[in-house]
Every structure is written in structure tokens, then in C-alpha cells.
Amino acid sequence: MKSITIRDVKVFVTAPHGINLVVVKVETSEPELFGYGCATFTWRYKAVVTAVEEYLRPFLIGRSVHDIEDIWQSMMGSSYWRNGPVLNNALSGVDEALWDIKGKLAGMPVYSLLGGKAREGIALYRHADGNSIEEVEEKIHKYMEEGFRYIRVHMGTYGGNFDGSIQKMQHPENAPAGAYYQTRTYMQSVIRLFDRVRTDIGWNLEIMHDIHERLSLADTLAFTKEMEQFKPFFIEDALRPDQMTYFKYLREQTTVPLAMGELFTNPLEWKTLIQNQWIDFIRCHLSDIGGITPAKKLAAFAEAYQVRTAWHGPNDLSPIGMAAQMHLDLNCSNFGIQEFAGFNEAEEEVFPGCPQVRNGYAYLNDTPGIGVGFDEKAAKKYPAVENVDYSWMFSRLEDGTAVRP
Ligand code: MG
């Protein structure tokens, strides 16, 4: 095999959707051979850029591009302390770029390198929310007309809002600003919403809901038991990552399928959940666990326990990252569903070769590698944005207590 080495590693930040995306480019000793990977940790993107430029770049220059496994393992060990989202995203940018290069060298799309297709298209789920039941149902109808059959259904944002419940809350004096919610109102509003959706739209549709770790164990238990009657496809993020063993009680007491994992960064977080079959879907964010290399192992591990994949697919993920996980979706026999937030025109311009969506399914182009490029000139038109409004993340209970996912 011809010796090909890493000549340079570059990092780009672009925001074609108003959200900072981080892209890593690995250049090789072959002038026309390079790869791109997604390293998007949008809330701490400058830390990821520094990790790649200051620590991984000098570590990688001169290494063989062929040995992804050795590079991934040694990058992971190179900081001694590891498994955090900043360093995992930095690793992911390099890892996905190396898989892109390997595919280009082989003349094959990545899914083919992984063993080929297990299916022809990737079933997607979309997110429908609104401030009234009518608004949510309107969005569901629109998605159904476009061919989507899996829809995550929400009232307001995470934690919900129903009939102006936020305005009716009774805060103490000097309560700080934040995304307030009241647990009982939230639970009741979702149950009313699901009831109406099943009555008005029917059962020829898979619906799901994301608790986004807003409830206590007792409330989650009561809520999921009530949700059983609507047969959701799954309930997402029922409990916080530091409450993993509580999934045992959920599993024992409800029949609702459970999906968990978008906040995971460490194999210890998913190992027990999967081995005990306490969840039905594992939904890590690929770049937050370190890219394609750890994700293919996680998927294989999950397959042994009949846990299916539902990788995290929000807007704070570049189309390169979305395509990277879609190669796994095509290849893994235990694929379940893919979250999909859609691309706007600017993203399609900056990332030529974005996956295409038709009738509820996504399709990858069959070009070698990951198949999504990066137009470095077009990216400059959408520079990094500062002062992004992420107030929705600052959840507070009615009395002002901060709640974290
Ligand atoms: Mg979620």
C-alpha cells in the first residue's frame, strides 16, 4: 500500500444557518487527496478549534492516513484525561476526515467500506411544535404531506407552554430570567396534545416526545405510564445522564419504548443501559463521542442487545456530520430512525452533496468517502456568529430554581 501521510490539519467555522459549525480538513501528501469531518460543538466552538489547531495538528502531521484505528486510539490517549465533549469533537473532526479520505482512496462511499447497505433509504423523524394544538397539528399535516411518517410532537419548547401557562406562573420576587416551566402543566399539556393528535389525525403515524430531562423520576414514571395509551414510537431523554440507573425503574414499570443518549460522551454512560436492555434506542451525537470509529463499535454493541440506533440530528450538526451518521444508518442492521432538522439553501451551498430527502427517506449520493464537500469560499460568506440566543437552555422551575438536562 502506497505511503500517504497527513500534511496538514485545518479548522473552519461557518454559520450558514446562524449556528456555528466546525469543520476539520485533513490534507495529505497527495496534492488532490483530502477529507472533511464534523467537529461541531456549537456552544464551545472556540475551545474545539484550539484543541485541533494547538494539540491534534502537531500530533498528526506525518502520520499515515491509512491507520484510522491507531490514530483514533492514540489521539484519545494523548490528553491522558479524556471523554469530554471538547476533545471528543476535536477527535471526531479528524476521524470523519480520515474515513472520508479512506473512502476516496478506495473509490467507495463509507457505508460500503463498513460492509455495505442494510437498507436503501434512511427513515427520518421531524419535529413539530407550536403554541396551540391547532398549530402543532398544522405542522404535522404539512410533514405528512411531504411523506414523513415519524414526527416528534411538542407543545411550545422543551418543558412546554400551554394556554399561556408561563404567564400564569407565580414567581418569587427578583426571579431571574429563564425558560420557565411548571412540571404538572407541562405533563398535562403533552397528554392533552397526544390525545388530540390520536383523535384528530389517527394511528397511521408514529409520534414521539422529548422530555429533555425536565422531570424527576417520580414524575417521569407517572408521565410515561399515562403516555402508554397513545403508543408513542419512543419517549426521548426521560432522565438526566447522571440518573442512568433509574432507567431500571422505568423499564420495569412502563411499556413505552425509551430513547436516550444525546448528552453522552463516555462509553460508561451507555454500557450499563444497553447491557441491561433498559433502553430501546441509543441516540448519541456522533461528534460528541468522537466520530465514526467509536459510533460503529457502539452500534455493534447495541445490536447484540437489540437496542436500535437513533443518532442525534439537530441543526447544530454540519451536513458532513449528518452524512457521516447516515452512512452508519445505511450499514447497521439495528438502525431504528434518524432525527433530521433539514438544511437551508445556504447550507446546501456551503456543503455540496448534502443528503437528499424524498418521501420521508434520506438518500446519500454515492460518491467516494462521506460524499459531502465543503466550499471554503462560500463558507466565508457565513462567518461565525456571536451572541447567539440560547436562553431556551436556561430552564427554571416556577420558583426560579435552575434545572439542567
Ligand atoms: Mg433530544
Side-chain angles (χ1 to χ4, degrees):
M1 197 156 51
K2 188 181 175 187
S3 162
I4 302 172
T5 55
I6 296 173
R7 182 167 52 85
D8 204 355
V9 180
K10 293 175 177 165
V11 196
F12 304 88
V13 180
T14 183
H17 207 124
I19 294 168
N20 294 320
L21 304 175
V22 185
V23 174
V24 170
K25 182 183 189 186
V26 173
E27 296 179 346
T28 75
S29 50
E30 299 287 298
E32 296 303 316
L33 182 63
F34 52 83
Y36 291 111
C38 181
T40 301
F41 178 12
T42 201
W43 313 113
R44 295 292 183 271
Y45 72 95
K46 289 176 187 168
V48 177
V49 172
T50 302
V52 176
E53 287 179 343
E54 302 293 327
Y55 298 104
L56 293 185
R57 182 178 174 274
F59 180 78
L60 291 165
I61 289 174
R63 300 283 300 258
S64 167
V65 300
H66 297 301
D67 304 324
I68 299 176
E69 185 63 31
D70 182 67
I71 288 177
W72 193 90
Q73 297 293 347
S74 52
M75 282 194 301
M76 183 51 118
S78 68
S79 59
Y80 194 43
W81 281 276
R82 53 191 184 267
N83 287 314
V86 171
L87 299 180
N88 281 357
N89 269 282
L91 258 67
S92 166
V94 173
D95 178 76
E96 291 181 5
L98 290 172
W99 278 99
D100 194 26
I101 289 167
K102 193 173 276 300
K104 287 171 179 170
L105 275 170
M108 290 180 191
V110 169
Y111 71 76
S112 194
L113 289 177
L114 296 170
K117 288 180 192 172
R119 59 195 55 75
E120 291 297 325
I122 300 150
L124 303 173
Y125 80 79
R126 303 301 306 258
H127 177 92
D129 62 16
N131 289 317
S132 67
I133 288 174
E134 291 70 28
E135 221 178 293
V136 178
E137 288 191 337
E138 203 177 303
K139 285 187 186 167
I140 294 174
H141 282 300
K142 186 181 149 285
Y143 282 134
M144 288 177 76
E145 279 159 25
E146 291 171 16
F148 294 102
R149 294 162 299 113
Y150 299 84
I151 300 172
R152 191 171 64 189
V153 179
H154 273 249
M155 184 61 73
T157 55
Y158 299 112
N161 181 20
F162 192 68
D163 293 342
S165 60
I166 288 171
Q167 285 73 34
K168 290 175 197 159
M169 282 183 203
Q170 231 178 305
H171 308 309
E173 291 167 13
N174 303 317
Y180 279 83
Y181 71 105
Q182 211 271 350
T183 51
R184 193 165 301 283
T185 312
Y186 158 59
M187 292 188 288
Q188 282 169 347
S189 74
V190 176
I191 288 158
R192 271 177 70 179
L193 174 65
F194 268 65
D195 189 31
R196 277 283 298 276
V197 169
R198 282 303 190 205
T199 305
D200 297 346
I201 300 177
W203 292 83
N204 193 21
L205 171 71
E206 295 286 2
I207 48 180
M208 48 264 258
H209 179 77
D210 187 357
I211 296 176
H212 221 268
E213 299 101 342
R214 294 293 197 274
L215 298 176
S216 67
L217 172 63
D219 284 339
T220 300
L221 263 173
F223 178 72
T224 48
K225 283 169 83 128
E226 273 211 75
M227 291 291 277
E228 282 174 7
Q229 60 186 307
F230 309 116
K231 305 266 184 293
F233 185 71
F234 61 56
I235 294 291
E236 188 173 320
D237 297 338
L239 293 162
R240 284 176 8 198
D242 54 351
Q243 297 167 326
M244 231 85 68
T245 49
Y246 290 5
F247 273 94
K248 177 177 188 286
Y249 306 114
L250 276 186
R251 171 56 92 213
E252 283 169 355
Q253 296 192 43
T254 90
T255 56
V256 167
L258 299 164
M260 179 65 193
E262 70 185 55
L263 281 173
F264 290 173
T265 56
N266 187 323
L268 291 175
E269 291 169 315
W270 61 71
K271 198 173 158 190
T272 310
L273 280 183
I274 292 174
Q275 277 178 317
N276 287 294
Q277 294 172 307
W278 288 341
I279 57 170
D280 301 274
F281 296 88
I282 181 76
R283 44 180 284 95
C284 295
H285 188 115
L286 236 61
S287 66
D288 276 290
I289 63 169
I292 293 171
T293 296
K296 71 182 172 73
K297 296 175 186 178
L298 167 54
F301 177 65
E303 183 185 358
Y305 296 94
Q306 290 185 298
V307 173
R308 294 193 280 166
T309 64
W311 306 120
H312 191 221
N315 281 126
D316 50 321
L317 172 73
S318 74
I320 295 166
M322 178 57 82
Q325 60 193 10
M326 284 182 172
H327 284 279
L328 289 167
D329 294 342
L330 275 188
N331 166 255
C332 296
S333 64
N334 58 324
F335 164 73
I337 190 78
Q338 176 62 58
E339 179 181 14
F340 185 70
F343 306 122
N344 67 8
E345 269 180 38
E347 279 175 297
E348 302 225 4
E349 178 195 2
V350 174
F351 297 95
C354 280
Q356 297 296 303
V357 177
R358 295 186 294 278
N359 209 23
Y361 288 97
Y363 298 91
L364 294 167
N365 62 60
D366 264 350
T367 55
I370 287 178
V372 177
F374 181 62
D375 186 331
E376 294 173 28
K377 213 169 126 195
K380 288 199 178 110
K381 290 200 284 183
Y382 310 99
V385 290
E386 301 299 334
N387 305 318
V388 178
D389 175 23
Y390 56 106
S391 53
W392 67 270
M393 282 166 54
F394 296 100
S395 287
R396 290 186 185 278
L397 296 175
E398 186 170 12
D399 72 349
T401 305
V403 180
R404 65 180 164 80

